[in-house]
């Protein structure tokens, strides 16, 4: 439990919470955790899932008190477009390459004529000459689905950037 | 699993009211509030903890705080509802009761339920 408080202290320091306020919160938290322990209440029961994430807990507490700005998810927002651009580009390239392979490759089925014996009748045999054809179709299908998913992510990303109501 | 999640969600929506209610009975520090909640069957606060919520109530001026010695322990930060907090509690209780009655009216005809 002391370790949990120390990790909170570290997070508050990192976030620029003034020392006296951080100290006050740490003392209160330590005293409450000590009470809980004395009554046989685990940190998880007392803190919920926050017990496993001291950094988020500390940041959330400080933000709700108005000591630091509320997290806006800017870190994720900054990464999201780059990841999305890469994902969309990959999906688009895969669609184009698959389509080109399908359009310009060998005929997928060919009609070949062969004779079984010198005297026997000739017959038509269907040979598959492109074992890659199903893979190309699968790739194309997957890439189209991925492009659709990317479009949905872009739309969601746009909605997430809308101003949020304060709670 | 679904029931637990629903319970957590329901509680999250009214936890501020519950905190204001238990501190309205008498000033309390953080752990003391969870103890009072637990005594009434709210054993788990759910996904988070009460501290961020107490922080928000403090920021919004709904609670007043002061430091005082606890029984044999270090000085603790005590919370009590401010006049705005008491008003928010009264309004919130009315809203809760209206919502509860409306939901009860809808669910009343349902004959089956799982007793936990």
């Amino acid at each position: 439990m002391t370790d949990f408080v120390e990790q909170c202290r570290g997070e508050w320091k990192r976030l620029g919470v003034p020392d006296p306020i951080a100290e006050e919160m740490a003392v209160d938290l330590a005293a409450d955790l000590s009470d809980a322990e004395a009554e046989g209440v685990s940190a998880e029961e007392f803190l919920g899932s926050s017990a496993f994430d001291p950094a988020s807990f500390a940041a959330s507490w400080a933000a709700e008190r108005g000591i630091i700005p509320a997290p806006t998810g800017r870190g994720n927002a900054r990464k999201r477009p780059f990841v999305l651009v890469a994902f969309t580009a990959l999906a688009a390239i895969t669609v184009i390459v698959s389509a080109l392979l399908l359009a310009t490759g060998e005929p997928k089925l060919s009609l070949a004529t062969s004779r079984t014996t010198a005297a026997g009748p000739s017959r038509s045999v269907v040979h598959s000459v492109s074992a890659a054809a199903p893979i190309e179709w699968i790739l194309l299908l997957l890439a189209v689905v991925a492009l659709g998913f990317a479009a949905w992510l872009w739309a969601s990303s746009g909605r997430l950037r809308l101003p949020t109501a304060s709670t | 699993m679904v029931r637990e999640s629903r319970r957590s969600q329901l509680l999250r929506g009214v936890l501020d009211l519950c905190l204001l209610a238990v501190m309205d009975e008498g000033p309390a520090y953080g752990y003391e509030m969870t103890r009072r909640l637990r005594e009434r069957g709210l054993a788990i606060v759910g996904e988070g903890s009460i501290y961020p919520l107490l922080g928000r109530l403090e920021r919004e001026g709904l609670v007043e705080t002061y430091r005082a010695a606890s029984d044999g322990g270090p000085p603790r930060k005590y919370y009590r509802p401010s006049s705005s907090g008491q008003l928010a509690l009264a309004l919130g209780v009315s809203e809760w009761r209206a919502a509860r009655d409306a939901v009860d009216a809808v669910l009343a005809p349902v004959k089956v339920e799982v007793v936990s």
Side-chain angles (χ1 to χ4, degrees):
Chain A
M1 291 201 181
T2 308
D3 190 43
F4 183 86
V5 176
E6 287 312 310
Q7 288 181 61
C8 288
R9 270 187 214 270
E11 184 65 11
W12 286 324
K13 192 172 186 64
R14 192 186 71 77
L15 292 170
V17 173
D19 285 345
I21 297 176
E23 183 60 23
E24 176 202 293
M25 291 195 293
V27 167
D28 287 335
L29 179 60
D32 283 351
L33 285 170
S34 176
D35 277 3
E37 195 171 25
E39 292 186 6
V41 176
S42 69
E44 187 186 350
E45 282 175 281
F46 178 47
L47 296 172
S49 56
S50 302
F52 304 109
D53 191 357
S56 293
F57 166 78
S60 168
W61 189 3
E64 289 290 3
R65 279 192 67 175
I67 301 163
I68 59 166
T72 57
R74 253 179 287 147
N76 284 340
R78 238 183 267 125
K79 285 177 201 163
R80 191 183 299 119
F82 176 76
V83 173
L84 258 183
V85 167
F87 181 74
T88 309
L90 185 66
I93 289 168
T94 311
V95 167
I96 293 166
V97 169
S98 313
L100 282 176
L101 281 173
L102 285 165
T104 62
E106 293 288 323
K108 304 304 171 277
L109 295 172
S110 69
L111 199 61
T113 302
S114 63
R115 286 180 187 281
T116 50
T117 62
S122 65
R123 63 176 177 175
S124 297
V125 180
V126 175
H127 294 279
S128 172
V129 296
S130 175
I135 294 173
E136 291 155 6
W137 278 110
I138 290 168
L139 264 182
L140 183 63
L141 184 68
L142 286 177
V144 168
V145 170
L147 262 184
F149 181 59
W152 177 79
L153 284 177
W154 278 112
S156 301
S157 175
R159 277 197 300 275
L160 285 174
R161 275 196 289 271
L162 290 173
T164 54
S166 61
T167 53
Chain B
M1 191 70 178
V2 172
R3 286 172 59 238
E4 190 60 37
S5 170
R6 190 191 308 282
R7 185 185 165 91
S8 291
Q9 288 173 28
L10 288 170
L11 183 57
R12 199 178 302 132
V14 291
L15 188 54
D16 56 343
L17 285 183
C18 294
L19 289 176
L20 286 169
V22 294
M23 69 177 81
D24 197 39
E25 296 167 0
Y29 53 87
Y31 183 71
E32 200 175 352
M33 280 182 244
T34 62
R35 188 191 288 140
R36 290 180 188 177
L37 291 174
R38 201 169 57 242
E39 285 167 359
R40 288 162 174 80
L42 294 180
I44 180 81
V45 170
E47 306 303 318
S49 80
I50 63 167
Y51 294 102
L53 196 46
L54 287 173
R56 180 163 66 80
L57 293 174
E58 189 176 2
R59 176 167 51 87
E60 292 175 348
L62 299 178
V63 294
E64 295 168 347
T65 64
Y66 62 94
R67 287 208 161 262
S70 59
D71 300 334
R76 311 296 282 263
K77 183 176 184 176
Y78 282 83
Y79 296 78
R80 65 182 170 211
S82 64
S83 52
S84 303
Q86 285 174 329
L87 180 61
L89 176 61
L91 288 170
V93 167
S94 298
E95 287 174 341
W96 163 256
R97 288 183 179 148
R100 181 201 60 191
D101 291 348
V103 172
D104 274 351
V106 172
L107 298 182
V110 178
K111 301 295 181 204
V112 277
E113 66 179 289
V114 177
V115 180
S116 55

